[in-house]
Amino acid sequence: MTDTFKTLLVEQVDKKTFTRKLTTRRLDDLPAGDVVIEVAYSSLNYKDALSATGNPGVSRNFPHTPGIDAAGTVVSSDSADFSAGDQVLVTGFDLGMNTPGGFGGKIRVPAEWVVPLPQGLSTRDAMVIGTAGFTAALSVQGLINAGVKKEDGEVLVTGATGGVGSVAVALLHHIGYQVVAVTGKADKHDFLKSLGASDVISREELLTNHERPMLKERWAGCIDCVGGDYLAAAIKSTRYGGAVTCCGLTASPELPINVFPFILRGVSLLGIDSVQCPMPPRQALWNKLASEWKLDGLEALTEEITLEQVDSYIDNILAGKIAGRVVVKLS
Ligand code: NDP
């Protein structure tokens, strides 16, 4: 086995300038850890673009290889839980933040971060889902746990053409919910309908009269990926006893709202975190995504790129130009 591998390296030039290049690194360049994995596929997430552009809330140690997702084959393991040849996946924890991530041919991580690849998924399938799809699944599970049932009515998804949003639309449709998608991309309505949205509305439509303390009740539940006024409008228009999940901030990290929807309509706001999600529910959800929640149609929303193409796709995701999921083929 060769101990060199290709990697995307982000280097810091000065306080605000970061450059990206493809280079070769050695196993010795990786931090200590229990399990060395040869990465077959990674995926592109919004957070990878933040890391690759030096966002200090995501990555502080440079030079650095981003990539919060990786799936591949164990090369060596100091943990009794894994052996060479096992197929595995890693998402979240510190991978791709300050630990070299999936945009390199090999990673070395603590065994506690590693999920055995569930039966029914290939390494590529797992990365089509990736952190974005796993977060969508956590959000859907959150609504179900909060008592939102498919017969209760429409479920809203914001940021619907994004990684989390597009898988959320497809998953909700797959398990029988009626989905309304919100998008800023006027040319992507047919795409969202092909994923299973029964209706698609513009961002402006969601924000109609959004400055009012409460809005007309419409949604049984909402999956919000964008934050800000959109999350506030979603909460204000959720029906009595409904629930809203919050996972992202592509519009804003602020939440401009008062308490009325919570104390007059009993609406619940559910925080979603995929990064530190403990291993038992993490494995259970991955197993669900490989069985009853397996989405056969995900290929329609997936684009496959090479490590060489990641650089330009980082700019595209920051500009909000990507629809669906992007998998990165490493080997
Ligand atoms: P993407 O960039 O793939 O999608 C985000 C979508 O948000 C875009 O496609 C766009 O959808 C919408 N959007 C972008 N900019 C704006 C804006 N200025 N105003 C309103 N809408 C906007 O990101 P991901 O789906 O990968 O992630 C979504 C969010 O969730 C990110 O903030 C990410 O950091 C977060 N996240 C959090 C996780 C957690 O564990 N909590 C895990 C994974 C992601 P459209 O054009 O259709 O409106």
Side-chain angles (χ1 to χ4, degrees), residues 147-165:
V148 178
K149 299 186 203 64
K150 47 192 166 202
E151 54 274 19
D152 290 345
E154 296 168 315
V155 173
L156 182 77
V157 177
T158 64
T161 68
V164 180

Side-chain angles (χ1 to χ4, degrees), residues 57-302:
V58 180
S59 298
R60 286 183 173 277
N61 301 335
F62 294 91
H64 171 60
T65 295
I68 61 172
D69 289 342
T73 306
V74 173
V75 173
S76 62
S77 169
D78 295 334
S79 157
D81 294 336
F82 298 98
S83 310
D86 288 352
Q87 294 213 296
V88 294
L89 68 97
V90 182
T91 68
F93 296 106
D94 192 51
L95 188 71
M97 294 181 70
N98 289 296
T99 300
F103 297 162
K106 291 200 174 66
I107 57 172
R108 178 153 45 203
V109 294
E112 295 72 37
W113 298 3
V114 183
V115 176
L117 190 71
Q119 220 174 11
L121 291 184
S122 65
T123 51
R124 187 177 184 282
D125 294 336
M127 291 295 94
V128 167
I129 297 167
T131 286
F134 183 71
T135 304
L138 277 174
S139 306
V140 171
Q141 190 67 61
L143 291 187
I144 293 171
N145 295 348
V148 178
K149 299 186 203 64
K150 47 192 166 202
E151 54 274 19
D152 290 345
E154 296 168 315
V155 173
L156 182 77
V157 177
T158 64
T161 68
V164 180
S166 57
V167 180
V169 171
L171 184 53
L172 284 166
H173 172 70
H174 177 74
I175 58 178
Y177 284 82
Q178 195 182 337
V179 191
V180 176
V182 185
T183 184
K185 299 185 184 86
D187 60 337
K188 291 292 179 201
H189 288 210
D190 287 345
F191 167 74
L192 289 166
K193 286 191 174 157
S194 74
L195 297 182
S198 58
D199 195 7
V200 182
I201 63 173
S202 68
R203 293 182 193 167
E204 293 72 26
E205 191 175 340
L206 178 63
L207 290 187
T208 308
N209 297 322
H210 74 94
E211 56 292 331
R212 292 183 184 165
M214 302 261 268
L215 295 167
K216 193 163 171 248
E217 292 175 72
R218 179 164 177 188
W219 321 114
C222 303
I223 290 181
D224 177 70
C225 308
V226 304
D229 287 334
Y230 302 95
L231 173 56
I235 294 169
K236 290 177 191 177
S237 48
T238 294
R239 284 163 43 181
Y240 191 90
V244 179
T245 64
C246 160
C247 73
L249 43 57
T250 52
S252 168
E254 305 300 327
L255 179 53
I257 197 165
N258 57 43
V259 299
F260 292 125
F262 307 110
I263 65 172
L264 298 180
R265 287 187 184 155
V267 171
S268 302
L269 179 58
L270 312 171
I272 300 295
D273 172 56
S274 64
V275 178
Q276 300 291 339
C277 175
M279 199 42 88
R282 181 182 289 255
Q283 281 199 14
L285 201 53
W286 274 106
N287 288 336
K288 208 165 176 179
L289 282 162
S291 51
E292 73 227 64
W293 282 9
K294 187 165 183 193
L295 296 168
D296 293 322
L298 281 188
E299 210 45 54
L301 58 79
T302 303

